[in-house]
Amino acid sequence: MIPVSNFLYLAAILFAIGLSAVLLRRNALIVLMGVELMLNAANLTLLAFARAHHDLRGHAIAFLVIATAAAEAAVGLAIVVGIFRTRHTANIDEVTLMKH
Amino acid sequence: MSDFPLHLIPLLPLVAAALNLAIGRKLPRDASSLLAVGSVAASLLISVVAFSRMAGGEGAVQPLHETWYTWIATSSFKIDAAFVMDALSGVMTLIVTGVGLLIHIYSIGYMSHERDYARYFGYLNLFMGSMLILVLGDNLVASFVGWEGVGVCSYLLIGFWYDKEYNAYAGRKAFVVNRIGDFGFLLGIFLLLTAVGTVNFGELEGKRTLLSAPLWGKNVAFWGGLLLFVGATGKSAQLPLYVWLPDAMAGPTPVSALIHAATMVTAGVYMVVRLHIFYAFGPSLGLAPHLGGAVMIVGCATAFWAASMAFAQTDIKKVLAYSTISQLGFMFVGAAGAVPSSGIFHLMTHAFFKAGLFLGAGSVMHAMSDRTDILEMGGLRKKVPITHACFLLYTLAIAGCPGFSGFFSKDAILGSAAGVDQVLPAWHHFGLATSLVLLAVAAMTSFYMFRLYFLVFSGESRADKHVAAHIHESPPVMTVPLAVLALLSVVGGLVGTPWHDLLGEFLGAPPEVSIPWQNMLGGTAAFAAGLLGAYLCYAGGVRAPVQRFAKGLPWLYDLVKNKYYVDELYDTIIVRPTKLVAHGFADVFDKFLIDSVLVGGLARLVDGIGYLVRRVQNGDVQRYLATMVIGAAVLIWLAARPPADFAVEVQGTTVTVVAAGTGRGVPRRLRYCWRIDGADKCESERPRDSLRITPGRHKITLRVWDADWGTSASRSLEVHGS
């Protein structure tokens, strides 16, 4: 049986990849993908502990997170597409109209 | 005692002042002046009613007294906001309200072209209210309110045309010089409160034993009276604090008439008479005869000093200003002399003719397009006949023409001075000497007043064409007050003739002093000498003898013309050093310490921090997120790291750490420092979790730290090794 810690290591790696994508990339799509990765890293953690503790509540929360992530991806992608249509760019550094 | 509402007398003008100053700009001009004049007229009416109730009864005077409310009550003294109208304050009240009313009426005409009409009348009313508080107050503190009030009004009215630099300066000068005197006055009040426990005029007279208690080589009355007299020299423009009064002429002319001739400047004289137990001579009257002597000397010196300065003045108002100072000196001599009522007598007649002289001067200036140089005047006799006639009567009165008011009052003062020798023979003709000096000053007065009269009214006009073309008589609203004052100047002296001194009896003059009849001859001679001299020198313009004199003794002429350089002297020894110190303080404390270091420094500190901190807030969401991640990681680290808690077990002579490093199931590398019995050094610093000790009681201090997680803990324990 695979120990819990392996799942946790994997989750940590996924989270770190997602975080670095969010922090470092300028493309809005990549940033959204990073967010998805982080959410799934959290899901993986939940599932690993749920399995170790034989507790189904962790699975329930994971489903909730998947649903929320799907909704968030839909809205986020819609915004990115909207921005791209009007401004012809998906670079978040150039979307600074609200900043000034 | 009576419940007459005396407080209404000062209150009405004060209310009118408040209205005029608060909403005067929105009132029509007639309403402003009507309010001002009406309130003073009402005050006068109430004063007359009060006066007749006080003096009209059979037999002795019945003083009216009203305690409006208790103002200050402490365990050691009590001060009421109380008013008293006895013979003295009654006479003063009538003078103030009566002359004040005439001047208010005159002002309607004189100030008719003024933009700030309501402000002017507001200040004038404020002054009336303050002066009436000063006069009617039944104790020094209540009077002091008025005393300061008139000072403020003086400042406000001298600087009335504040947009002119000189006027604002003159106002400040008057205020500061007055404040110097007022400080002395305040100290006097404190001294009396401390030493006697009361400042009520009536009660002070009953505290003769306390007042004559020794203090600093003299007695309480001497020092208290001296300090109060310092206040009087400021307010009444005596040596050495007279310098503000000539500059006070910067104000509107009716103000000069009201404040700087007829009323405010007489406050000091009033105070000296009111407290005559301090200043009067004679063992049965005064408590500090030396003080009375000092007052007489100051008054006498001031009279002479100011009269000599009036000789070379060419500004019509300045001549009158120095004349006022000189006449105030007369009053002080009279008030401190053997017959204090003579000071009040001269105060009254002086109020009539000096108010008239100033108003007449105002009328002249009105005719001369506001020129004030008497060398440019001349020949006004025919052009402004009413003003001329009144002015001549005032001049005769102040010069002491026999039969006019000034003659009798000056006579009374000479008698009061000479009378000192009767009550105090030990002083070797001190009184006679004083009265002789004053006689000389009376001749000088006659001379410079007729000089003024001749230069303004006689001969041919020396004005330039534009001015000369506009010469016109003033409207009736101005000439009627002039005429009333002229009438008073002529007949005002009849209340105090040597044959029947009505005023003196009314005020309670000491009967033991008799005024020698020869005085009248002296007064007449002085008047005649001055008139003759002025006629020879100035009739029809500046004549040859004067020009010869000015050329022959240029230094003397310059000295007098420049007022003996007293202003320059004060400027050098007092004003400039003070300013220097003030500038020093301003630079060091205000500009450097407060502005640069405290206020500016704080601002710069905030600015600097802001400069650094705003780098962080740059609008880059990703950087915010990075900061958040780092911050969250630190917080989680701090919260989640295992604490270095431990437990200790003793077995025999071995102390062992147990249950350390068991946190969160992670193996830990711990280090230990054992200190035994308060030793400074670690007994064992190795990573050793147990220690052998010698048998017996020990105090062990154990410090454990975790190299990996950066936590540590220490604990002291008592162990008993066996």
Side-chain angles (χ1 to χ4, degrees):
Chain A
M1 186 176 158
I2 304 161
V4 178
S5 58
N6 287 10
F7 289 106
L8 293 182
Y9 286 134
L10 179 60
I13 291 164
L14 281 177
F15 190 87
I17 293 170
L19 184 66
S20 43
V22 169
L23 288 182
L24 302 176
R25 299 303 294 261
R26 295 292 179 265
N27 189 323
L29 283 173
I30 307 287
V31 169
L32 277 178
M33 286 161 66
V35 171
E36 291 300 319
L37 262 184
M38 287 197 289
L39 283 167
N40 283 316
N43 274 345
L44 187 56
T45 315
L46 282 168
L47 292 175
F49 281 121
R51 204 170 80 109
H53 291 285
H54 300 290
D55 188 340
L56 283 177
R57 280 179 294 184
H59 294 272
I61 295 176
F63 279 120
L64 202 64
V65 170
I66 289 171
T68 312
E72 173 254 310
V75 175
L77 283 173
I79 291 174
V80 170
V81 170
I83 288 175
F84 189 79
R85 274 191 191 151
T86 53
R87 303 178 65 92
H88 305 292
T89 178
N91 187 331
I92 54 173
D93 275 355
E94 290 170 26
V95 187
T96 55
L97 212 61
M98 299 279 278
K99 200 161 125 184
H100 301 296
Chain B
M1 289 290 173
S2 145
D3 53 356
F4 193 86
L6 286 174
H7 68 267
L8 283 180
I9 298 175
L11 195 63
L12 286 174
L14 287 180
V15 170
L19 284 175
N20 252 336
L21 290 176
I23 57 168
R25 281 169 176 278
K26 300 197 178 86
L27 292 176
R29 291 164 79 86
D30 287 344
S32 286
S33 54
L34 197 71
L35 186 66
V37 173
S39 69
V40 177
S43 271
L44 175 62
L45 204 67
I46 300 170
S47 308
V48 170
V49 172
F51 191 85
S52 59
R53 191 180 288 188
M54 180 254 304
E58 293 291 313
V61 168
Q62 301 282 326
L64 302 180
H65 190 275
E66 183 206 12
T67 303
W68 197 16
Y69 59 91
T70 298
W71 180 19
I72 303 168
T74 72
S75 55
S76 54
F77 63 85
K78 179 164 149 305
I79 291 165
D80 291 327
F83 300 105
V84 64
M85 185 184 262
D86 54 8
L88 178 58
S89 58
V91 170
M92 287 295 291
T93 308
L94 287 188
I95 295 171
V96 171
T97 50
V99 176
L101 179 63
L102 289 174
I103 291 170
H104 271 73
I105 294 171
Y106 178 93
S107 296
I108 297 175
Y110 190 84
M111 301 300 277
S112 57
H113 306 301
E114 174 60 43
R115 195 165 41 88
D116 257 346
Y117 204 59
R119 184 163 66 92
Y120 172 79
F121 277 108
Y123 289 163
L124 218 53
N125 272 356
L126 186 62
F127 168 76
M128 289 300 290
S130 307
M131 187 69 198
L132 288 167
I133 291 174
L134 195 167
V135 168
L136 286 170
D138 96 320
N139 57 62
L140 277 171
V141 177
S143 281
F144 188 68
V145 174
W147 188 274
E148 289 289 349
V150 294
V152 171
C153 294
S154 180
Y155 161 75
L156 291 172
L157 282 164
I158 294 168
F160 182 73
W161 292 304
Y162 52 81
D163 47 359
K164 287 188 196 138
E165 174 69 28
Y166 170 69
N167 292 15
Y169 163 76
R172 281 200 308 276
K173 182 174 178 182
F175 195 69
V176 170
V177 175
N178 261 299
R179 280 301 309 162
I180 295 170
D182 294 348
F183 185 62
F185 197 89
L186 206 55
L187 289 181
I189 292 177
F190 294 156
L191 178 67
L192 289 179
L193 270 181
T194 318
V196 187
T198 178
V199 285
N200 186 295
F201 294 129
E203 287 173 23
L204 274 175
E205 281 181 48
K207 305 269 186 182
R208 282 177 168 265
T209 32
L210 278 176
L211 280 171
S212 47
L215 182 76
W216 302 325
K218 295 276 181 187
N219 58 22
V220 173
F222 180 85
W223 294 111
L226 187 68
L227 288 169
L228 293 176
F229 183 64
V230 171
T233 58
K235 197 67 54 187
S236 293
Q238 296 297 291
L239 281 172
L241 297 180
Y242 70 89
V243 286
W244 64 273
L245 188 58
D247 286 306
M249 298 304 132
T253 309
V255 170
S256 305
L258 179 62
I259 300 188
H260 306 122
T263 52
M264 166 183 145
V265 291
T266 60
V269 181
Y270 165 77
M271 197 271 302
V272 168
V273 177
R274 173 59 84 189
L275 293 173
H276 73 278
I277 55 160
F278 287 19
Y279 300 99
F281 290 96
S284 63
L285 293 167
L287 295 164
H290 289 101
L291 184 58
V295 173
M296 283 179 73
I297 291 170
V298 168
C300 199
T302 309
F304 182 81
W305 183 257
S308 70
M309 282 189 280
F311 278 4
Q313 294 301 315
T314 55
D315 181 314
I316 184 168
K317 286 176 77 181
K318 289 266 167 88
V319 175
L320 294 175
Y322 282 108
S323 150
T324 302
I325 299 173
S326 176
Q327 299 300 311
L328 286 165
F330 271 88
M331 290 178 216
F332 273 106
V333 174
V339 191
S341 68
S342 66
I344 294 296
F345 184 25
H346 195 54
L347 188 159
M348 183 184 86
T349 59
H350 178 260
F352 298 151
F353 54 68
K354 188 50 70 62
L357 281 169
F358 268 112
L359 296 187
S363 181
V364 167
M365 285 160 59
H366 207 67
M368 298 291 294
S369 313
D370 284 336
R371 302 296 158 92
T372 57
D373 191 342
I374 52 178
L375 296 179
E376 290 178 10
M377 294 182 185
L380 284 178
R381 186 158 54 93
K382 299 225 174 62
K383 303 265 183 61
V384 287
I386 305 174
T387 305
H388 163 255
C390 296
F391 207 93
L392 178 61
L393 292 175
Y394 306 139
T395 309
L396 287 169
I398 190 176
C401 178
F404 283 72
S405 59
F407 174 73
F408 291 114
S409 58
K410 239 177 246 184
D411 210 40
I413 283 180
L414 294 179
S416 173
V420 170
D421 290 344
Q422 291 175 35
V423 291
L424 218 64
W427 277 25
H428 303 298
H429 303 300
F430 173 72
L432 185 66
T434 317
S435 61
L436 284 178
V437 173
L438 286 189
L439 205 57
V441 177
M444 291 159 75
T445 308
S446 173
F447 178 82
Y448 68 70
M449 281 314 299
F450 276 108
R451 166 181 177 265
L452 178 67
Y453 169 78
F454 284 132
L455 284 178
V456 173
F457 291 101
S458 72
E460 294 302 316
S461 178
R462 296 179 294 278
D464 63 50
K465 287 203 180 65
H466 299 290
V467 176
H470 283 100
I471 295 178
H472 59 283
E473 182 61 282
S474 300
V477 72
M478 287 163 72
T479 51
V480 169
L482 285 180
V484 175
L485 285 168
L487 180 71
L488 289 170
S489 306
V490 175
V491 302
L494 297 179
V495 298
T497 60
W499 302 282
H500 194 182
D501 190 359
L502 266 172
L503 185 74
E505 282 171 21
F506 180 60
L507 291 172
E512 70 252 38
V513 180
S514 62
I515 295 169
W517 279 70
Q518 298 90 307
N519 272 359
M520 294 182 72
L521 294 176
T524 313
F527 162 72
L531 174 57
L532 189 66
Y535 182 80
L536 290 176
C537 293
Y538 292 104
V542 182
R543 286 192 173 187
V546 183
Q547 284 160 353
R548 271 206 304 279
F549 176 79
K551 281 200 189 108
L553 288 169
W555 58 270
L556 183 63
Y557 179 76
D558 281 344
L559 189 66
V560 175
K561 182 155 178 70
N562 290 305
K563 303 166 278 186
Y564 300 117
Y565 298 101
V566 170
D567 276 330
E568 286 77 4
L569 181 74
Y570 283 1
D571 193 52
T572 312
I573 63 170
I574 296 170
V575 178
R576 277 194 207 167
T578 311
K579 276 190 179 169
L580 211 64
V581 173
H583 279 298
F585 277 112
D587 285 341
V588 173
F589 286 100
D590 226 62
K591 286 188 187 153
F592 175 70
L593 208 63
I594 292 177
D595 286 359
S596 303
V597 177
L598 289 178
V599 179
L602 205 61
R604 268 195 289 278
L605 183 71
V606 171
D607 189 46
I609 293 175
Y611 180 79
L612 292 176
V613 171
R614 75 166 163 265
R615 297 299 168 98
V616 175
Q617 195 159 25
N618 59 355
D620 185 345
V621 180
Q622 284 178 321
R623 204 177 294 182
Y624 295 166
L625 196 60
T627 313
M628 195 185 87
V629 168
I630 292 165
V634 169
L635 283 179
I636 291 169
W637 165 264
L638 289 176
R641 64 182 178 168
D645 54 347
F646 58 91
V648 177
E649 206 171 69
V650 186
Q651 279 182 334
T653 56
T654 307
V655 184
T656 314
V657 176
V658 294
T662 57
R664 312 285 151 90
V666 184
R668 306 176 68 182
R669 290 176 298 152
L670 297 173
R671 293 181 71 82
Y672 306 87
C673 168
W674 304 84
R675 285 199 187 91
I676 299 175
D677 294 332
D680 284 340
K681 265 179 66 184
C682 293
E683 178 71 20
S684 158
E685 216 179 337
R686 296 183 304 274
R688 225 176 77 179
D689 60 355
S690 66
L691 184 75
R692 292 183 68 86
I693 51 171
T694 51
R697 281 197 168 280
H698 293 286
K699 193 173 177 210
I700 293 176
T701 306
L702 173 59
R703 186 176 155 80
V704 179
W705 70 93
D706 184 329
D708 296 330
W709 296 94
T711 52
S712 69
S714 75
R715 196 188 302 166
S716 293
L717 36 123
E718 295 264 335
V719 293
H720 196 261
S722 55

